[in-house]
Amino acid sequence: MRKIDQKRRGVLKLAVLFAAVPFVDVVSNRTNLLAATVSRFSTTLVTNGEVLTAAHWGMLKLTIKDVKIVKSEPYQKTSDIFNSLQYYTQDLVYAKDRIKYPMVRKSYLENPNSSKPELRGKDEWVRVSYEEAIKLIAGELKKTREDRGAEGIFAGSYGWKSSGNMHNSRVLLHRFMNTIGGFTGSLGDYSTGAAQVIMPHVLGTIEVYEQQTSWPVVLESSKVVVIWGANLMRTLKISWTSTDEQGFKYLQELKKSNKQIICIDPEKNETCTYLDAKWVPITPGTDVALMMGMAYHLLKTDNYDKVFLDEYTEGFDEFKEYLLGKKDKVAKDTKWASKICGIDEATIKELALLMYNNRTMIMAGWGIQRAQYGEQTHWMIVTLASMLGQIGLAGGGFGFSYHYSNGGVPTAKGGKIGGITSTITSTQNTGGSSWLEKTAKFSFPVARIADALLNPGKVIEHNGSKITYPDIDFVYWVGGNPMVHHQDTNTLVKALRKPKTIVVNEIFWTPTARMADIVMPVTTSYERDDITMSGDYSNLNIIPMKQAVERQNEAKDDYDIFCDLAKEFGVLKDYSQNKTALEWIEEFYLSAYNQVENIGLNIPKFKEFWEANKPVTFEVPQENAEFVRYADYREDPILEPLGTPSGKIEIFSKVIENMNYDDCKGHPTWFEPDEWLGMKNKDAEFALITSHPDHRLHSQLNNTSLREKYAVANREPIFINKKDAKSKGIKDGDLVRVYNKRGEILAGAVLTDKLKRGVVRVDEGAWYDPLERGKIGTICLNGNVNVLTKDIPTSKLANGNSSNTALVNIEKYTKKAKDISIFKQP
Ligand SMILES: Nc1nc2c(c(=O)[nH]1)N[C@H]1C(S)=C(S)[C@@H](COP(=O)(O)OP(=O)(O)OC[C@H]3O[C@@H](n4cnc5c(=O)[nH]c(N)nc54)[C@H](O)[C@@H]3O)O[C@H]1N2
Ligand SMILES: Nc1nc2c(c(=O)[nH]1)N[C@H]1C(S)=C(S)[C@@H](COP(=O)(O)OP(=O)(O)OC[C@H]3O[C@@H](n4cnc5c(=O)[nH]c(N)nc54)[C@H](O)[C@@H]3O)O[C@H]1N2
Ligand SMILES: [Mo]
């Protein structure tokens, strides 16, 4: 076992602090109990010194001076790639827009039964005591439960919350709701909404969250690496648990290797630039057409692997008919493809042959499937890769998670810690997998939230079944920011006027907190004890996340809030199992400890681990470094069949065909999106891509000084091709009005020659800051791109979000613009 040492200097232990500081809640016995038990392991706050902690953006070393965080930096160096997110912990903890006390919307407090929901986002706020807030939430929740049953309570509460297997706010909420009788939840996620539903039909697994052929194998065996709509330099800055940063290490090695690297992307993004790769600029939303052109060329020139298709796949012939245009009289040849995707025929042919003639790894991102008909992209990649015939060979095939949570980093041999669970029966290993939870009965696809709120009783198709939207009256959201993350903000504002009660637990006055009736102030992860692993696939480290500073103002842990609510329902014992947070944490650690012991290794006992302020790091066995995805299947397709009906890769799926959907057929199909550059009668001029931000995790960190490094004219930047900008009379640094029929935002112009002409980019995650609060259709001053995106499902199959299918207009904004005000107290 390798352990990394960290020097701790000047650590003063102040045992009294825990018992004496004002955050100890005088009304709740629970919190007193907490304060008493915590000292069992002498967890004390550091007055001056260093504390190890973890965030999605990595292991951090916090410097504490006079009980305040004064510095935040990476705990260790793993590569030369700079992670901009790691330096702003103090900005978060001491932010001007922290929610200080429980707050209730004025009209709601006056009369919850007639609370003027149209005033959400605009009404005054009234401070209430913590006990009053708990009583109010519990009382209203009981009423809804009596009136409407579990169905009326929506607690899907999607979001990225903070790292930590204990204070996993979403799971804590689900646990509470389950303990008191259930709730309406949500299915799937925003990340891979389309791919995770179609892949099981095609490959028998969700594929997007699976371990990839290991990086060392890619570095050793691939000749060509095709990065298809992915930006590893950005998206590897974070992990669902906490990044181990090993992905960056391998990216750096990829740069040094002399492989041929190709980036297919409307933007010559940071990864393309860093790797000095060949850029193939594609028209957004047309990847399926490009791949079909490539497939057609391979077929026509007889450069494809018939043996592989025969032995390992099902239904190539049906697809071939379509490709050749046997039924629809449209041959998907390179000429056809070129016209759609904007890449010349010679390049399409060259690309296809290059990939066929060389060991090629296709590393695909997810932005391409976050679009209307998003199911088709990953299906078509699998189809193309099947024709190339390299699936299951070292360094060949495809990988759908090299850009995310360090997929492809070899898995270490050790133990996995447990986590708090959404039900009260098991505590094993669920801390990291809340993504795919299906705990609740009336669940609907996560991105259909606005549609569901607006249309109770509506029946939708979903992956071969029918779902009826419940009539939602009570919404509880924790750890997410739907007013920023959901598409078509104006429709969402309308939808959020529907329920009677909205409760939000938040750290900051986010746009979502502002839409609530009751807001509960919560701690950052630096104000409470927790534990996490790093590296979602590698399981490399167990990291203690000891409380670094006092709870700010009246902030409470989500756990405490739900314990106090559980008490109101008489189920505290079930909910908490009589355990303090630290006792849970010890139990989660013990689970890993036992696994480690069972395989004949050892790690420190909990007390030692907890007091050491160091991660436990596991070793990677050589065999894991040699992992090749689908090698077993390739070796023996009979004994190692896939989980599909045929046991093979399904290029044609009878199951999907039988669903009879017009927007997802039995084989990969090119569908023309509702809004794209190549359409006739466009009502807006530019294709909008909404990438994940370089200097944020979605909306997280937008309220820190890191924003100063990228904001333009104090707004979210919009990236515009230089020639396009010139034609519109827009200069670098200008304020730009970006608009379409769904809404308008202000953004600051950045001119670039790295974007394909006709394409503009505004990253997701800028906080929604409406000119007139609470009003539908008003301009967003800060540049939340979702004001412009379309709230339509990818298809009836997956109902994923379509955030990259939108056209917009741009113009220089010449009027005097109001300054933003979203990062202040309301
Ligand atoms: N246009 C467009 N929209 C998109 C996307 C896109 O590509 N384009 N991507 C989508 C994707 S893939 C995703 S995953 C979503 C992300 O959407 P979200 O996950 O909603 O985004 P975050 O900004 O991470 O929101 C997390 C919130 O939780 C709060 N929080 C943090 N820790 C705690 C805690 O301990 N307790 C509580 N109660 N709150 C806490 C933070 O302050 C923050 O407000 O966005 C989606 N939206
Ligand atoms: N720094 C940072 N890292 C993150 C996140 C974050 O917010 N910040 N979010 C995390 C989360 S929750 C997720 S789900 C992942 C998201 O990971 P992805 O979904 O892969 O990320 P995106 O930024 O949406 O898209 C990646 C690339 O797709 C390109 N692209 C857009 N449209 C098209 C198209 O039509 N065709 C092609 N070929 N390319 C296209 C974009 O230009 C971009 O370079 O990232 C994770 N990592
Ligand atoms: Mo995501």
Side-chain angles (χ1 to χ4, degrees):
M1 200 108 346
R2 182 163 44 92
K3 280 195 245 144
I4 297 144
D5 276 308
Q6 187 210 17
K7 284 194 196 92
R8 264 180 84 173
R9 277 168 282 122
V11 178
L12 250 185
K13 290 187 175 174
L14 265 193
V16 284
L17 213 74
F18 247 94
V21 284
F23 63 74
V24 174
D25 183 4
V26 281
V27 286
S28 148
N29 297 333
R30 231 221 93 73
T31 326
N32 283 334
L33 188 116
L34 251 176
T37 14
V38 154
S39 55
R40 228 176 90 197
F41 301 117
S42 66
T43 290
T44 47
L45 292 183
V46 171
T47 317
N48 288 290
E50 288 167 358
V51 177
L52 162 65
T53 191
H56 293 298
W57 38 91
M59 269 195 262
L60 304 177
K61 183 169 78 181
L62 304 180
T63 305
I64 315 285
K65 226 175 146 187
D66 301 329
V67 296
K68 281 197 87 169
I69 301 171
V70 293
K71 195 174 173 193
S72 171
E73 59 196 317
Y75 176 74
Q76 60 191 14
K77 189 175 156 70
T78 35
S79 79
D80 291 337
I81 297 173
F82 178 69
N83 190 340
S84 58
L85 311 182
Q86 297 177 327
Y87 302 83
Y88 298 88
T89 311
Q90 59 281 26
D91 284 23
L92 289 172
V93 172
Y94 310 117
K96 283 200 289 284
D97 57 352
R98 284 291 299 259
I99 298 167
K100 294 183 179 164
Y101 329 100
M103 295 285 236
V104 182
R105 190 167 66 81
K106 188 163 170 277
S107 314
Y108 187 89
L109 191 62
E110 283 164 8
N111 183 2
N113 294 321
S114 166
S115 75
K116 304 190 187 129
E118 70 283 1
L119 293 184
R120 286 196 178 116
K122 176 180 180 182
D123 220 344
E124 272 172 59
W125 290 98
V126 182
R127 180 179 171 182
V128 298
S129 73
Y130 176 73
E131 311 85 84
E132 201 181 335
I134 290 287
K135 290 244 178 318
L136 186 61
I137 298 171
E140 293 304 317
L141 192 52
K142 279 177 191 163
K143 275 193 226 160
T144 298
R145 198 170 280 285
E146 276 155 28
D147 292 354
R148 315 240 173 150
E151 207 179 328
I153 301 161
F154 180 72
S157 186
Y158 180 80
W160 265 71
K161 44 104 191 163
S162 296
S163 298
N165 281 24
M166 173 64 216
H167 299 286
N168 186 336
S169 50
R170 186 188 196 209
V171 176
L172 288 166
L173 168 66
H174 290 178
R175 182 182 179 86
F176 166 65
M177 290 295 179
N178 279 329
T179 313
I180 62 166
F183 64 100
T184 290
S186 51
L187 301 171
D189 59 42
Y190 279 74
S191 315
T192 62
Q196 68 176 250
V197 176
I198 188 138
M199 282 300 110
H201 294 293
V202 179
L203 293 165
T205 77
I206 56 166
E207 200 60 31
V208 285
Y209 304 131
E210 310 278 350
Q211 183 55 295
Q212 312 292 299
T213 291
S214 92
W215 269 108
V217 174
V218 171
L219 290 166
E220 168 88 27
S221 305
S222 309
K223 281 252 161 47
V224 175
V225 174
V226 178
I227 300 181
W228 205 307
N231 193 355
L232 289 74
M233 285 287 280
R234 270 189 189 198
T235 57
L236 286 177
K237 284 183 179 180
I238 61 92
S239 279
W240 176 242
T241 54
S242 174
T243 177
D244 58 27
E245 304 201 305
Q246 299 290 308
F248 278 158
K249 193 186 83 186
Y250 289 115
L251 193 60
Q252 198 177 314
E253 287 181 33
L254 180 64
K255 181 184 169 67
K256 286 188 199 138
S257 75
N258 51 8
K259 295 181 200 313
Q260 203 164 343
I261 304 168
I262 291 154
C263 290
I264 302 172
D265 204 297
E267 179 165 19
K268 185 174 183 188
N269 63 26
E270 290 89 346
T271 309
C272 187
T273 306
Y274 174 75
L275 294 172
D276 208 4
K278 178 183 159 74
W279 178 35
V280 180
I282 187 170
T283 297
T286 66
D287 299 87
V288 171
L290 168 60
M291 283 183 266
M292 285 180 174
M294 291 166 70
Y296 188 97
H297 187 65
L298 293 175
L299 188 73
K300 281 291 166 168
T301 56
D302 202 21
N303 283 302
Y304 67 108
D305 193 332
K306 290 178 261 325
V307 177
F308 187 87
L309 289 172
D310 258 11
E311 275 185 45
Y312 299 99
T313 74
E314 180 72 22
F316 181 70
D317 287 343
E318 275 92 343
F319 175 70
K320 195 165 102 185
E321 299 250 299
Y322 171 76
L323 200 61
L324 296 172
K326 287 274 159 66
K327 277 183 224 150
D328 62 0
K329 302 278 185 301
V330 181
K332 284 41 171 207
D333 56 15
T334 49
K335 190 169 169 209
W336 169 88
S338 171
K339 204 162 165 255
I340 294 171
C341 71
I343 298 162
D344 62 79
E345 283 190 70
T347 305
I348 299 175
K349 290 176 181 169
E350 206 182 296
L351 201 56
L353 292 177
L354 178 79
M355 290 166 76
Y356 181 69
N357 290 321
N358 296 280
R359 189 58 61 83
T360 300
M361 177 57 81
I362 303 171
M363 299 182 172
W366 300 336
I368 49 175
Q369 55 86 62
R370 229 175 277 115
Q372 192 180 17
Y373 312 116
E375 292 83 359
Q376 307 304 316
T377 54
H378 284 62
W379 199 358
M380 191 56 215
I381 292 174
V382 175
T383 302
L384 181 63
S386 297
M387 290 177 75
L388 301 176
Q390 302 174 13
I391 296 167
L393 295 182
F398 55 84
F400 295 158
S401 197
Y402 284 106
H403 68 296
Y404 175 79
S405 287
N406 301 293
V409 174
T411 306
K413 188 173 175 188
K416 254 184 115 171
I417 59 172
I420 197 78
T421 54
S422 57
T423 55
I424 53 180
T425 47
S426 152
T427 60
Q428 296 304 304
N429 292 333
T430 55
S433 57
S434 68
W435 282 123
L436 302 168
E437 256 184 335
K438 287 187 196 167
T439 42
K441 256 198 195 146
F442 314 97
S443 305
F444 53 82
V446 65
R448 300 320 302 142
I449 176 68
D451 197 39
L453 286 169
L454 287 168
N455 302 292
K458 177 175 162 184
V459 180
I460 61 159
E461 301 277 354
H462 181 67
N463 197 17
S465 61
K466 289 193 192 326
I467 292 175
T468 308
Y469 290 147
D471 194 353
I472 296 165
D473 205 35
F474 192 110
V475 173
Y476 205 136
W477 217 294
V478 299
N481 201 356
M483 280 300 294
V484 179
H485 79 221
H486 187 65
Q487 290 61 55
D488 191 354
T489 316
N490 284 310
T491 302
L492 183 63
V493 173
K494 195 170 156 203
L496 286 177
R497 290 180 180 175
K498 281 279 196 163
K500 189 177 141 204
T501 306
I502 302 178
V503 185
V504 172
N505 292 3
E506 249 296 345
I507 304 166
F508 310 106
W509 279 108
T510 61
T512 301
R514 287 165 196 254
M515 284 300 283
D517 301 311
I518 307 171
V519 172
M520 299 300 276
V522 305
T523 49
T524 63
S525 54
Y526 319 103
E527 297 154 54
R528 60 200 185 205
D529 291 325
D530 215 323
I531 185 169
T532 186
M533 301 215 55
S534 83
D536 298 12
Y537 301 99
S538 68
N539 293 321
L540 203 57
N541 303 289
I542 303 177
I543 312 163
M545 296 169 63
K546 276 167 89 162
Q547 183 177 354
V549 287
E550 284 174 39
R551 289 170 175 76
Q552 301 293 300
N553 310 300
E554 284 186 16
K556 296 272 191 290
D557 301 349
D558 293 282
Y559 183 58
D560 286 343
I561 292 169
F562 292 120
C563 279
D564 288 325
L565 283 172
K567 202 161 134 198
E568 294 293 319
F569 283 79
V571 294
L572 174 59
K573 252 193 192 154
D574 288 340
Y575 185 77
S576 72
Q577 310 278 303
N578 269 337
K579 286 195 240 316
T580 64
L582 196 61
E583 286 167 337
W584 280 113
I585 291 167
E586 182 178 13
E587 194 175 299
F588 304 153
Y589 182 85
L590 195 64
S591 149
Y593 183 91
N594 291 336
Q595 295 163 44
V596 172
E597 206 169 40
N598 283 342
I599 53 172
L601 297 173
N602 58 63
I603 53 174
K605 291 264 193 219
F606 180 70
K607 188 174 171 354
E608 197 189 320
F609 160 77
W610 192 245
E611 285 173 354
N613 202 31
K614 284 184 216 162
V616 163
T617 305
F618 297 112
E619 300 275 6
V620 176
Q622 185 54 28
E623 55 170 343
N624 290 358
E626 290 164 6
F627 175 73
V628 174
R629 187 153 184 79
Y630 292 116
D632 292 351
Y633 174 57
R634 187 162 190 130
E635 186 74 19
D636 196 335
I638 309 296
L639 283 178
E640 302 278 347
L642 303 183
T644 55
S646 61
K648 295 183 176 186
I649 297 172
E650 301 218 342
I651 293 173
F652 177 84
S653 162
K654 192 84 200 135
V655 175
I656 296 178
E657 165 98 343
N658 286 343
M659 291 177 192
N660 252 315
Y661 294 156
D662 55 354
D663 49 10
C664 189
K665 305 275 189 195
H667 55 71
T669 307
W670 161 251
F671 294 102
E672 196 182 319
D674 290 356
E675 282 183 34
W676 71 294
L677 278 181
M679 73 192 288
K680 290 195 197 102
N681 309 321
K682 290 198 284 281
D683 62 4
E685 201 177 341
F686 294 92
L688 173 70
I689 54 175
T690 66
S691 304
H692 285 233
D694 200 8
H695 303 300
R696 289 191 295 266
L697 170 61
H698 315 297
S699 77
Q700 295 191 54
L701 295 159
N702 198 204
N703 59 336
T704 67
S705 56
L706 178 55
R707 184 173 177 278
E708 289 157 23
K709 299 219 181 346
Y710 60 84
V712 174
N714 202 24
R715 326 277 158 169
E716 185 68 13
I718 177 169
F719 293 80
I720 311 170
N721 177 290
K722 279 180 184 157
K723 290 184 183 136
D724 289 333
K726 199 166 173 222
S727 78
K728 293 278 146 191
I730 295 170
K731 295 199 189 62
D732 240 324
D734 276 353
L735 202 54
V736 178
R737 176 174 167 258
V738 195
Y739 62 100
N740 59 21
K741 57 194 167 203
R742 290 174 292 275
E744 52 181 338
I745 64 170
L746 288 182
V750 180
L751 274 43
T752 173
D753 43 28
K754 291 186 171 182
L755 267 175
K756 189 178 174 76
R757 281 207 69 174
V759 182
V760 294
R761 167 166 64 83
V762 180
D763 294 334
E764 55 107 359
W767 290 22
Y768 175 62
D769 189 1
L771 175 66
E772 289 181 59
R773 299 217 182 276
K775 189 178 164 187
I776 295 166
T778 186
I779 194 166
C780 172
L781 301 170
N782 188 39
N784 171 24
V785 75
N786 276 322
V787 170
L788 305 166
T789 55
K790 257 172 114 77
D791 183 15
I792 52 163
T794 51
S795 84
K796 296 182 190 73
L797 187 89
N799 286 292
N801 72 86
S802 303
S803 47
N804 282 322
T805 303
L807 294 174
V808 293
N809 286 309
I810 55 174
E811 65 181 24
K812 185 178 157 115
Y813 193 74
T814 46
K815 284 186 263 175
K816 203 175 151 25
K818 202 178 154 213
D819 202 6
I820 59 162
S821 63
I822 193 69
F823 303 119
K824 296 177 186 159
Q825 295 285 317

